Coordinates of all heavy atoms in Angstrom, one line a residue:
M607 N -9.9 51.0 -13.7 CA -9.8 51.3 -12.3 C -8.8 50.3 -11.7 O -8.7 49.1 -12.1 CB -11.2 51.0 -11.7 CG -11.2 51.1 -10.2 SD -12.8 50.7 -9.4 CE -13.9 50.4 -10.6
N608 N -8.1 50.8 -10.8 CA -7.1 49.9 -10.1 C -7.1 50.3 -8.6 O -7.6 51.3 -8.2 CB -5.7 49.9 -10.7 CG -5.1 51.3 -10.6 OD1 -5.0 51.9 -9.6 ND2 -4.7 51.8 -11.8
T609 N -6.5 49.4 -7.8 CA -6.5 49.7 -6.4 C -5.7 50.9 -6.0 O -6.0 51.5 -4.9 CB -5.9 48.4 -5.6 OG1 -4.6 48.2 -6.0 CG2 -6.8 47.2 -5.8
T610 N -4.7 51.3 -6.8 CA -4.0 52.5 -6.4 C -4.9 53.7 -6.4 O -4.8 54.5 -5.5 CB -2.8 52.7 -7.4 OG1 -2.0 51.6 -7.4 CG2 -2.0 53.9 -7.1
V611 N -5.7 53.9 -7.4 CA -6.6 55.0 -7.4 C -7.6 55.0 -6.3 O -8.0 56.0 -5.7 CB -7.3 55.1 -8.8 CG1 -8.3 56.3 -8.8 CG2 -6.3 55.3 -9.9
L612 N -8.1 53.8 -5.9 CA -9.0 53.7 -4.8 C -8.3 54.1 -3.5 O -8.9 54.7 -2.6 CB -9.5 52.2 -4.7 CG -10.4 51.8 -5.8 CD1 -10.8 50.3 -5.7 CD2 -11.6 52.6 -6.1
R613 N -7.0 53.7 -3.4 CA -6.2 54.2 -2.2 C -6.1 55.7 -2.2 O -6.1 56.3 -1.1 CB -4.8 53.6 -2.2 CG -4.9 52.1 -1.9 CD -3.5 51.5 -1.8 NE -3.5 50.0 -1.9 CZ -3.8 49.2 -0.9 NH1 -4.1 49.7 0.3 NH2 -3.8 47.9 -1.0
Y614 N -6.0 56.3 -3.4 CA -6.0 57.8 -3.4 C -7.3 58.4 -2.9 O -7.3 59.3 -2.1 CB -5.8 58.3 -4.9 CG -4.5 57.9 -5.6 CD1 -4.4 58.1 -7.0 CD2 -3.4 57.5 -4.9 CE1 -3.3 57.8 -7.6 CE2 -2.2 57.2 -5.6 CZ -2.2 57.4 -7.0 OH -1.0 57.1 -7.6
V615 N -8.4 57.8 -3.3 CA -9.7 58.3 -2.8 C -9.8 58.2 -1.3 O -10.2 59.1 -0.6 CB -10.9 57.5 -3.5 CG1 -12.2 57.8 -2.8 CG2 -10.9 57.8 -5.0
V616 N -9.3 57.0 -0.7 CA -9.3 56.8 0.7 C -8.5 57.9 1.4 O -8.9 58.5 2.4 CB -8.8 55.4 1.1 CG1 -8.6 55.3 2.6 CG2 -9.8 54.4 0.6
E617 N -7.4 58.2 0.8 CA -6.5 59.2 1.5 C -7.1 60.6 1.4 O -7.0 61.4 2.4 CB -5.1 59.2 0.9 CG -4.1 60.2 1.5 CD -3.8 59.9 2.9 OE1 -4.1 58.8 3.5 OE2 -3.2 60.8 3.6
V618 N -7.6 61.0 0.2 CA -8.3 62.3 0.1 C -9.4 62.4 1.1 O -9.5 63.5 1.8 CB -8.8 62.5 -1.3 CG1 -9.6 63.8 -1.4 CG2 -7.6 62.6 -2.3
N619 N -10.2 61.4 1.2 CA -11.3 61.5 2.2 C -10.7 61.6 3.6 O -11.3 62.3 4.5 CB -12.2 60.2 2.1 CG -13.4 60.4 3.0 OD1 -14.2 61.2 2.8 ND2 -13.4 59.5 4.0
R620 N -9.7 60.8 3.9 CA -9.1 60.8 5.3 C -8.6 62.2 5.7 O -8.9 62.7 6.8 CB -8.0 59.8 5.4 CG -7.4 59.6 6.8 CD -6.2 58.7 6.8 NE -5.0 59.3 6.3 CZ -4.2 60.1 6.9 NH1 -4.5 60.4 8.2 NH2 -3.1 60.6 6.4
V621 N -7.9 62.9 4.8 CA -7.4 64.2 5.1 C -8.2 65.4 4.7 O -8.0 66.5 5.0 CB -5.9 64.4 4.6 CG1 -5.0 63.4 5.2 CG2 -5.9 64.4 3.1
R622 N -9.3 65.1 3.9 CA -10.2 66.1 3.5 C -9.6 67.2 2.6 O -10.0 68.4 2.7 CB -11.0 66.7 4.6 CG -11.8 65.7 5.4 CD -13.1 65.4 4.7 NE -14.0 64.7 5.6 CZ -14.7 63.6 5.2 NH1 -14.6 63.2 4.0 NH2 -15.4 63.0 6.1
S623 N -8.5 66.8 1.9 CA -7.8 67.8 1.1 C -7.0 67.1 0.0 O -6.3 66.2 0.3 CB -6.9 68.6 2.0 OG -5.9 69.3 1.2
I624 N -7.3 67.5 -1.2 CA -6.5 66.9 -2.3 C -5.0 67.3 -2.3 O -4.2 66.5 -2.5 CB -7.1 67.3 -3.7 CG1 -8.5 66.7 -3.8 CG2 -6.2 66.9 -4.8 CD1 -9.3 67.0 -5.0
S625 N -4.7 68.6 -1.9 CA -3.3 69.0 -1.9 C -2.6 68.3 -0.7 O -1.5 67.8 -0.9 CB -3.2 70.5 -1.7 OG -3.8 71.0 -0.6
K626 N -3.2 68.1 0.4 CA -2.6 67.4 1.6 C -2.4 65.9 1.2 O -1.4 65.3 1.5 CB -3.4 67.6 2.8 CG -2.8 66.9 4.0 CD -1.5 67.4 4.4 CE -1.0 66.7 5.7 NZ 0.4 66.8 5.9
A627 N -3.4 65.3 0.6 CA -3.4 63.9 0.2 C -2.2 63.7 -0.8 O -1.5 62.8 -0.7 CB -4.7 63.5 -0.4
A628 N -2.1 64.7 -1.7 CA -1.0 64.6 -2.7 C 0.4 64.6 -2.0 O 1.2 63.8 -2.4 CB -1.1 65.7 -3.7
Q629 N 0.5 65.4 -1.0 CA 1.8 65.5 -0.3 C 2.0 64.1 0.4 O 3.1 63.6 0.4 CB 1.7 66.6 0.8 CG 1.8 68.0 0.2 CD 1.6 69.0 1.3 OE1 1.3 68.7 2.5 NE2 1.9 70.3 1.0
N630 N 1.0 63.6 1.1 CA 1.1 62.3 1.8 C 1.4 61.2 0.9 O 2.1 60.2 1.3 CB -0.2 62.0 2.6 CG -0.4 63.0 3.7 OD1 0.4 63.8 4.1 ND2 -1.6 62.9 4.3
L631 N 0.9 61.3 -0.4 CA 1.1 60.2 -1.4 C 2.4 60.4 -2.2 O 2.6 59.6 -3.1 CB -0.1 60.1 -2.3 CG -1.4 59.7 -1.6 CD1 -2.6 60.0 -2.5 CD2 -1.4 58.2 -1.2
Y632 N 3.1 61.5 -1.9 CA 4.3 61.8 -2.7 C 4.1 62.0 -4.2 O 4.8 61.4 -5.0 CB 5.4 60.8 -2.4 CG 5.8 60.7 -0.9 CD1 5.3 59.6 -0.2 CD2 6.5 61.6 -0.3 CE1 5.5 59.5 1.2 CE2 6.8 61.5 1.1 CZ 6.3 60.4 1.8 OH 6.6 60.3 3.1
M633 N 3.0 62.7 -4.5 CA 2.7 63.0 -5.9 C 2.2 64.4 -6.0 O 1.9 65.1 -5.0 CB 1.6 62.0 -6.4 CG 0.3 62.1 -5.7 SD -0.9 60.8 -6.1 CE -1.0 60.9 -7.9
G634 N 2.2 64.9 -7.2 CA 1.7 66.2 -7.5 C 0.2 66.3 -7.4 O -0.5 65.4 -7.7
Q635 N -0.2 67.5 -6.9 CA -1.7 67.7 -6.8 C -2.4 67.6 -8.1 O -3.5 67.0 -8.2 CB -1.9 69.0 -6.1 CG -3.4 69.4 -5.8 CD -4.0 70.1 -7.0 OE1 -3.3 70.9 -7.7 NE2 -5.3 69.9 -7.2
P636 N -1.9 68.1 -9.2 CA -2.6 68.0 -10.5 C -2.7 66.5 -10.9 O -3.8 66.2 -11.4 CB -1.7 68.8 -11.5 CG -1.0 69.7 -10.6 CD -0.7 69.0 -9.3
N637 N -1.7 65.7 -10.6 CA -1.8 64.3 -11.0 C -2.9 63.6 -10.2 O -3.6 62.7 -10.7 CB -0.5 63.6 -10.8 CG 0.5 64.1 -11.8 OD1 0.2 64.5 -12.9 ND2 1.8 64.0 -11.5
L638 N -3.0 63.9 -8.9 CA -4.0 63.3 -8.0 C -5.4 63.7 -8.4 O -6.3 62.9 -8.5 CB -3.7 63.7 -6.5 CG -4.7 63.1 -5.5 CD1 -4.9 61.6 -5.6 CD2 -4.3 63.5 -4.1
S639 N -5.5 65.0 -8.7 CA -6.8 65.5 -9.2 C -7.3 64.8 -10.4 O -8.4 64.5 -10.6 CB -6.8 67.0 -9.4 OG -6.7 67.7 -8.2
R640 N -6.3 64.7 -11.4 CA -6.6 64.0 -12.6 C -7.0 62.6 -12.4 O -8.0 62.1 -13.0 CB -5.4 64.1 -13.6 CG -5.5 63.4 -14.9 CD -6.7 63.6 -15.8 NE -7.0 65.0 -16.0 CZ -8.3 65.5 -16.2 NH1 -9.3 64.6 -16.3 NH2 -8.5 66.7 -16.3
A641 N -6.3 61.9 -11.6 CA -6.6 60.5 -11.3 C -8.0 60.3 -10.8 O -8.8 59.4 -11.2 CB -5.6 59.9 -10.4
I642 N -8.4 61.2 -9.9 CA -9.8 61.2 -9.3 C -10.8 61.5 -10.3 O -11.8 60.9 -10.4 CB -9.8 62.0 -8.0 CG1 -9.0 61.4 -6.9 CG2 -11.3 62.2 -7.5 CD1 -8.8 62.2 -5.7
K643 N -10.5 62.6 -11.1 CA -11.5 63.0 -12.1 C -11.7 61.9 -13.2 O -12.8 61.6 -13.6 CB -11.0 64.3 -12.8 CG -11.3 65.5 -12.0 CD -11.0 66.8 -12.8 CE -11.3 68.0 -11.9 NZ -12.7 68.2 -11.7
D644 N -10.6 61.2 -13.5 CA -10.7 60.1 -14.5 C -11.5 58.9 -13.9 O -12.3 58.3 -14.6 CB -9.3 59.5 -14.8 CG -8.5 60.5 -15.7 OD1 -9.1 61.5 -16.2 OD2 -7.2 60.3 -15.8
L645 N -11.3 58.6 -12.6 CA -12.1 57.6 -11.9 C -13.6 58.0 -11.9 O -14.5 57.2 -12.2 CB -11.6 57.3 -10.5 CG -12.4 56.3 -9.7 CD1 -12.3 54.9 -10.4 CD2 -11.8 56.2 -8.3
E646 N -13.9 59.3 -11.6 CA -15.3 59.8 -11.6 C -15.9 59.6 -13.0 O -17.0 59.2 -13.1 CB -15.3 61.2 -11.2 CG -15.0 61.4 -9.7 CD -15.0 62.9 -9.3 OE1 -14.5 63.7 -10.1 OE2 -15.4 63.2 -8.2
A647 N -15.1 59.9 -14.0 CA -15.6 59.8 -15.4 C -15.8 58.3 -15.8 O -16.9 58.0 -16.4 CB -14.6 60.4 -16.4
E648 N -14.9 57.5 -15.3 CA -15.0 56.0 -15.6 C -16.3 55.4 -15.0 O -17.0 54.6 -15.6 CB -13.8 55.3 -15.1 CG -13.8 53.8 -15.4 CD -12.6 53.1 -14.8 OE1 -11.5 53.8 -14.5 OE2 -12.6 51.9 -14.7
L649 N -16.5 55.8 -13.7 CA -17.7 55.3 -13.0 C -19.0 56.1 -13.2 O -20.1 55.6 -12.9 CB -17.4 55.3 -11.5 CG -16.2 54.5 -11.0 CD1 -15.9 54.6 -9.5 CD2 -16.4 53.0 -11.4
G650 N -18.9 57.3 -13.8 CA -20.1 58.1 -14.1 C -20.7 58.7 -12.8 O -21.9 58.9 -12.7
I651 N -19.8 58.9 -11.8 CA -20.3 59.5 -10.5 C -19.4 60.7 -10.2 O -18.3 60.9 -10.7 CB -20.3 58.5 -9.4 CG1 -18.8 58.0 -9.0 CG2 -21.2 57.3 -9.7 CD1 -18.8 57.2 -7.8
T652 N -19.8 61.5 -9.2 CA -19.0 62.5 -8.6 C -18.6 62.0 -7.2 O -19.5 61.7 -6.4 CB -19.7 63.8 -8.5 OG1 -20.1 64.3 -9.8 CG2 -18.9 64.9 -7.8
I653 N -17.3 61.8 -6.9 CA -16.9 61.3 -5.6 C -16.8 62.4 -4.6 O -17.3 62.3 -3.5 CB -15.5 60.6 -5.8 CG1 -15.7 59.5 -6.8 CG2 -15.1 60.1 -4.4 CD1 -14.4 58.9 -7.3
F654 N -16.2 63.5 -5.0 CA -16.0 64.7 -4.2 C -16.6 65.9 -4.8 O -16.4 66.1 -6.0 CB -14.5 64.9 -3.9 CG -13.8 63.8 -3.2 CD1 -12.9 63.0 -3.8 CD2 -14.0 63.6 -1.8 CE1 -12.3 61.9 -3.2 CE2 -13.4 62.5 -1.2 CZ -12.5 61.7 -1.9
T655 N -17.2 66.8 -4.0 CA -17.5 68.1 -4.5 C -16.3 69.0 -4.1 O -15.8 68.9 -3.0 CB -18.8 68.7 -4.0 OG1 -18.7 68.7 -2.5 CG2 -20.0 67.8 -4.4
R656 N -15.9 69.9 -5.0 CA -14.8 70.8 -4.8 C -15.3 72.2 -4.7 O -16.1 72.6 -5.4 CB -13.8 70.6 -5.9 CG -13.2 69.2 -6.0 CD -12.8 68.8 -7.4 NE -12.3 67.5 -7.6 CZ -13.0 66.4 -7.8 NH1 -14.3 66.5 -8.0 NH2 -12.4 65.3 -8.0
S657 N -14.7 72.9 -3.7 CA -15.0 74.4 -3.6 C -13.7 75.1 -3.1 O -12.7 74.5 -2.8 CB -16.1 74.6 -2.6 OG -15.7 74.3 -1.3
S658 N -13.8 76.4 -3.0 CA -12.7 77.2 -2.5 C -12.3 76.9 -1.1 O -11.2 77.1 -0.6 CB -12.9 78.7 -2.7 OG -14.1 79.0 -2.0
T659 N -13.3 76.3 -0.4 CA -13.1 76.0 1.1 C -12.6 74.5 1.3 O -12.4 74.1 2.4 CB -14.3 76.2 1.9 OG1 -15.4 75.4 1.4 CG2 -14.7 77.7 1.8
G660 N -12.5 73.7 0.2 CA -12.1 72.4 0.3 C -13.0 71.4 -0.4 O -13.7 71.8 -1.4
I661 N -12.9 70.1 0.0 CA -13.7 69.1 -0.7 C -14.7 68.5 0.3 O -14.5 68.6 1.6 CB -12.8 68.0 -1.2 CG1 -11.9 67.3 -0.1 CG2 -11.9 68.5 -2.3 CD1 -12.3 65.9 0.1
A662 N -15.7 67.9 -0.2 CA -16.7 67.1 0.6 C -17.1 65.9 -0.2 O -17.1 65.9 -1.5 CB -17.9 68.0 0.8
I663 N -17.2 64.8 0.5 CA -17.6 63.5 -0.2 C -19.1 63.5 -0.5 O -19.9 64.0 0.3 CB -17.1 62.3 0.6 CG1 -17.2 61.1 -0.3 CG2 -17.9 62.2 1.9 CD1 -16.3 59.9 0.3
T664 N -19.5 63.0 -1.6 CA -20.9 62.9 -2.0 C -21.4 61.6 -1.5 O -20.7 60.7 -1.0 CB -21.0 62.9 -3.5 OG1 -20.4 61.7 -4.1 CG2 -20.4 64.2 -4.1
N665 N -22.7 61.4 -1.6 CA -23.3 60.1 -1.2 C -22.8 59.0 -2.0 O -22.5 57.9 -1.5 CB -24.8 60.2 -1.3 CG -25.5 61.0 -0.3 OD1 -24.9 61.2 0.8 ND2 -26.6 61.6 -0.6
E666 N -22.6 59.2 -3.3 CA -22.0 58.1 -4.2 C -20.6 57.9 -3.8 O -20.1 56.8 -3.8 CB -22.1 58.6 -5.7 CG -23.5 58.6 -6.2 CD -23.5 59.3 -7.6 OE1 -22.8 60.3 -7.8 OE2 -24.3 58.8 -8.4
G667 N -19.9 58.9 -3.4 CA -18.5 58.8 -2.9 C -18.4 58.0 -1.7 O -17.5 57.2 -1.5
R668 N -19.4 58.2 -0.8 CA -19.4 57.4 0.5 C -19.6 55.9 0.2 O -18.9 55.1 0.8 CB -20.5 57.9 1.4 CG -20.2 59.1 2.2 CD -21.3 59.4 3.3 NE -21.2 60.7 3.7 CZ -21.7 61.8 3.1 NH1 -22.5 61.6 2.0 NH2 -21.5 63.0 3.5
E669 N -20.5 55.6 -0.8 CA -20.7 54.2 -1.1 C -19.4 53.6 -1.8 O -19.0 52.5 -1.4 CB -21.9 54.1 -2.1 CG -22.2 52.7 -2.5 CD -22.7 51.8 -1.3 OE1 -23.1 52.3 -0.3 OE2 -22.6 50.6 -1.4
L670 N -18.8 54.4 -2.6 CA -17.5 54.0 -3.3 C -16.5 53.7 -2.2 O -15.7 52.8 -2.2 CB -17.0 55.0 -4.3 CG -15.7 54.7 -4.9 CD1 -15.7 53.4 -5.7 CD2 -15.2 55.8 -5.7
L671 N -16.4 54.6 -1.2 CA -15.4 54.5 -0.1 C -15.6 53.3 0.7 O -14.7 52.6 1.0 CB -15.5 55.8 0.7 CG -14.4 56.0 1.8 CD1 -13.1 56.1 1.1 CD2 -14.7 57.2 2.7
K672 N -16.9 53.0 1.0 CA -17.2 51.8 1.7 C -16.8 50.5 1.0 O -16.1 49.7 1.6 CB -18.7 51.7 2.0 CG -19.2 50.6 2.9 CD -20.6 50.6 3.2 CE -21.4 50.1 2.1 NZ -22.9 50.0 2.4
L673 N -17.1 50.5 -0.3 CA -16.7 49.3 -1.1 C -15.2 49.3 -1.3 O -14.6 48.2 -1.3 CB -17.4 49.4 -2.4 CG -19.0 49.2 -2.4 CD1 -19.6 49.5 -3.8 CD2 -19.4 47.9 -1.9
S674 N -14.6 50.4 -1.5 CA -13.1 50.5 -1.6 C -12.4 50.0 -0.4 O -11.4 49.2 -0.5 CB -12.7 51.9 -2.0 OG -13.2 52.3 -3.2
N675 N -12.8 50.4 0.8 CA -12.2 50.0 2.0 C -12.3 48.4 2.1 O -11.3 47.8 2.5 CB -12.8 50.6 3.2 CG -12.3 52.1 3.4 OD1 -11.2 52.4 3.1 ND2 -13.2 52.9 3.8
R676 N -13.4 47.9 1.8 CA -13.6 46.4 1.9 C -12.6 45.7 0.9 O -11.9 44.8 1.2 CB -15.0 46.0 1.5 CG -15.3 44.6 1.7 CD -16.7 44.2 1.4 NE -17.7 45.2 1.9 CZ -18.9 45.4 1.3 NH1 -19.2 44.7 0.2 NH2 -19.7 46.2 1.8
L677 N -12.6 46.2 -0.4 CA -11.8 45.6 -1.4 C -10.3 45.8 -1.0 O -9.5 44.8 -1.2 CB -12.0 46.3 -2.7 CG -11.3 45.7 -3.9 CD1 -12.2 45.7 -5.1 CD2 -10.0 46.5 -4.2
L678 N -9.9 46.9 -0.5 CA -8.5 47.1 -0.2 C -8.1 46.3 1.0 O -6.9 45.8 1.0 CB -8.2 48.6 0.1 CG -8.3 49.5 -1.1 CD1 -8.3 51.0 -0.7 CD2 -7.3 49.2 -2.1
R679 N -8.9 46.1 2.0 CA -8.6 45.2 3.1 C -8.4 43.8 2.5 O -7.5 43.1 2.9 CB -9.8 45.2 4.1 CG -9.7 46.2 5.2 CD -10.6 46.0 6.3 NE -12.0 45.8 5.9 CZ -12.9 46.7 5.7 NH1 -12.6 48.0 5.9 NH2 -14.1 46.4 5.3
D680 N -9.3 43.3 1.6 CA -9.2 42.0 1.1 C -7.9 41.9 0.2 O -7.2 40.9 0.3 CB -10.4 41.7 0.2 CG -11.7 41.4 1.0 OD1 -11.6 41.2 2.2 OD2 -12.7 41.4 0.4
A681 N -7.6 42.9 -0.5 CA -6.4 42.9 -1.3 C -5.1 42.8 -0.4 O -4.2 42.0 -0.7 CB -6.3 44.1 -2.2
D682 N -5.1 43.6 0.6 CA -4.0 43.5 1.6 C -3.9 42.1 2.2 O -2.8 41.6 2.4 CB -4.2 44.6 2.7 CG -4.0 46.0 2.1 OD1 -3.4 46.1 1.0 OD2 -4.4 46.9 2.8
Y683 N -5.0 41.6 2.6 CA -5.0 40.2 3.2 C -4.5 39.2 2.2 O -3.6 38.4 2.6 CB -6.5 39.8 3.6 CG -6.6 38.4 4.1 CD1 -6.1 38.1 5.4 CD2 -7.1 37.4 3.3 CE1 -6.2 36.8 5.9 CE2 -7.1 36.1 3.8 CZ -6.7 35.8 5.0 OH -6.8 34.5 5.5
I684 N -4.9 39.2 1.0 CA -4.4 38.3 0.0 C -2.9 38.4 -0.2 O -2.2 37.4 -0.2 CB -5.1 38.5 -1.4 CG1 -6.6 38.1 -1.3 CG2 -4.4 37.8 -2.5 CD1 -7.4 38.5 -2.5
G685 N -2.4 39.7 -0.3 CA -1.0 39.9 -0.4 C -0.2 39.4 0.8 O 0.8 38.7 0.6
E686 N -0.7 39.6 2.0 CA 0.0 39.2 3.2 C -0.1 37.6 3.3 O 0.9 37.0 3.7 CB -0.7 39.8 4.4 CG -0.4 41.3 4.6 CD -1.3 42.0 5.6 OE1 -2.0 41.2 6.3 OE2 -1.3 43.2 5.7
D687 N -1.2 37.1 3.0 CA -1.4 35.6 3.1 C -0.5 34.9 2.2 O 0.2 34.0 2.5 CB -2.8 35.2 2.9 CG -3.1 33.8 3.2 OD1 -2.7 33.3 4.3 OD2 -3.7 33.1 2.3
F688 N -0.5 35.3 0.9 CA 0.4 34.6 -0.1 C 1.8 34.9 0.2 O 2.7 34.0 0.0 CB 0.0 35.0 -1.5 CG -1.3 34.3 -1.9 CD1 -2.5 34.9 -1.9 CD2 -1.3 32.9 -2.3 CE1 -3.7 34.3 -2.3 CE2 -2.4 32.3 -2.7 CZ -3.6 33.0 -2.7
H689 N 2.2 36.1 0.6 CA 3.6 36.4 0.9 C 4.1 35.5 2.1 O 5.2 35.0 2.0 CB 3.7 37.9 1.3 CG 5.1 38.3 1.5 ND1 6.1 38.4 0.6 CD2 5.7 38.6 2.7 CE1 7.2 38.7 1.1 NE2 7.0 38.9 2.4
S690 N 3.3 35.4 3.1 CA 3.7 34.5 4.2 C 3.8 33.1 3.9 O 4.7 32.4 4.3 CB 2.8 34.7 5.5 OG 1.5 34.3 5.2
D691 N 2.9 32.6 3.0 CA 3.0 31.2 2.5 C 4.3 31.0 1.7 O 5.0 30.0 1.9 CB 1.8 30.9 1.6 CG 0.5 30.6 2.4 OD1 0.6 30.4 3.6 OD2 -0.5 30.5 1.8
A692 N 4.7 32.0 0.9 CA 5.9 31.8 0.1 C 7.1 31.8 1.0 O 8.1 31.1 0.8 CB 6.0 33.0 -0.9
E693 N 7.1 32.6 2.1 CA 8.2 32.6 3.0 C 8.4 31.3 3.7 O 9.5 30.8 4.0 CB 8.1 33.7 4.1 CG 8.3 35.1 3.5 CD 8.1 36.2 4.5 OE1 7.5 35.9 5.6 OE2 8.5 37.3 4.2
R694 N 7.2 30.6 4.0 CA 7.3 29.3 4.7 C 7.6 28.2 3.7 O 7.7 27.0 4.1 CB 6.0 29.1 5.4 CG 5.7 30.0 6.6 CD 4.5 29.5 7.4 NE 3.3 29.6 6.7 CZ 2.4 30.5 6.7 NH1 2.6 31.6 7.5 NH2 1.3 30.5 6.0
G695 N 7.6 28.5 2.4 CA 7.8 27.5 1.4 C 6.6 26.6 1.2 O 6.7 25.5 0.6
K696 N 5.4 27.0 1.6 CA 4.2 26.3 1.3 C 3.6 26.6 0.0 O 3.7 27.8 -0.4 CB 3.2 26.5 2.4 CG 3.6 26.1 3.8 CD 2.4 26.4 4.7 CE 2.8 25.9 6.1 NZ 1.8 26.3 7.1
P697 N 3.0 25.7 -0.7 CA 2.2 26.1 -1.9 C 1.2 27.1 -1.6 O 0.5 27.0 -0.5 CB 1.6 24.8 -2.4 CG 2.4 23.7 -1.7 CD 2.9 24.3 -0.4
S698 N 1.0 28.1 -2.4 CA 0.1 29.2 -2.1 C -1.4 28.8 -2.2 O -2.2 29.5 -1.6 CB 0.3 30.3 -3.2 OG 1.6 30.8 -3.0
F699 N -1.7 27.8 -2.8 CA -3.2 27.5 -3.0 C -3.6 26.3 -2.1 O -4.7 25.8 -2.3 CB -3.5 27.2 -4.5 CG -3.3 28.4 -5.3 CD1 -2.2 28.5 -6.1 CD2 -4.2 29.4 -5.3 CE1 -2.0 29.7 -6.9 CE2 -4.0 30.6 -6.1 CZ -2.9 30.7 -6.8
F700 N -2.9 25.9 -1.1 CA -3.3 24.8 -0.2 C -3.5 25.3 1.2 O -2.9 26.2 1.6 CB -2.3 23.7 -0.3 CG -2.1 23.1 -1.6 CD1 -1.0 23.3 -2.4 CD2 -3.2 22.3 -2.1 CE1 -0.9 22.7 -3.7 CE2 -3.1 21.7 -3.4 CZ -1.9 21.9 -4.1

């Protein structure tokens, strides 16, 4: 699992469509579907139910989404914090 795949899940949930999310992420729909299916297999859960009318997030998917949003916010904060420290010439760990 990596943060990129978690960002994919967030985007699919946001637009409620794997094909639309794939467009927004500049990737092919089969690749996005495979990444999500691989994450589902890795975690042993179903994140989205799929039907001819679209996708819906499951209860397990909602929990994953909640945790993913928290993790992604923290990851973004870390990246911004350390990047700004490097620009100021400060040691990153002080």
Side-chain angles (χ1 to χ4, degrees):
M607 174 183 359
N608 63 53
T609 57
T610 301
V611 178
L612 297 177
R613 290 182 195 281
Y614 295 168
V615 170
V616 169
E617 182 63 12
V618 169
N619 185 66
R620 187 181 75 80
V621 298
R622 301 281 191 221
S623 165
I624 292 175
S625 59
K626 178 64 176 161
Q629 289 175 350
N630 293 348
L631 295 165
Y632 303 102
M633 65 188 304
Q635 181 272 328
N637 292 335
L638 178 55
S639 290
R640 172 57 41 210
I642 291 172
K643 284 187 180 289
D644 288 348
L645 180 60
E646 289 176 326
E648 180 181 345
L649 298 177
I651 65 171
T652 300
I653 301 168
F654 299 106
T655 56
R656 297 150 179 91
S657 71
S658 60
T659 59
I661 60 113
I663 194 162
T664 65
N665 289 335
E666 292 170 320
R668 277 188 200 86
E669 183 64 22
L670 175 65
L671 190 64
K672 182 174 85 173
L673 296 170
S674 295
N675 282 324
R676 185 181 319 152
L677 185 141
L678 293 170
R679 274 192 309 272
D680 289 348
D682 290 343
Y683 174 78
I684 290 168
E686 291 167 8
D687 188 51
F688 284 101
H689 181 72
S690 64
D691 282 348
E693 287 178 348
R694 290 190 299 260
K696 294 182 182 177
S698 297
F699 294 102
F700 297 106

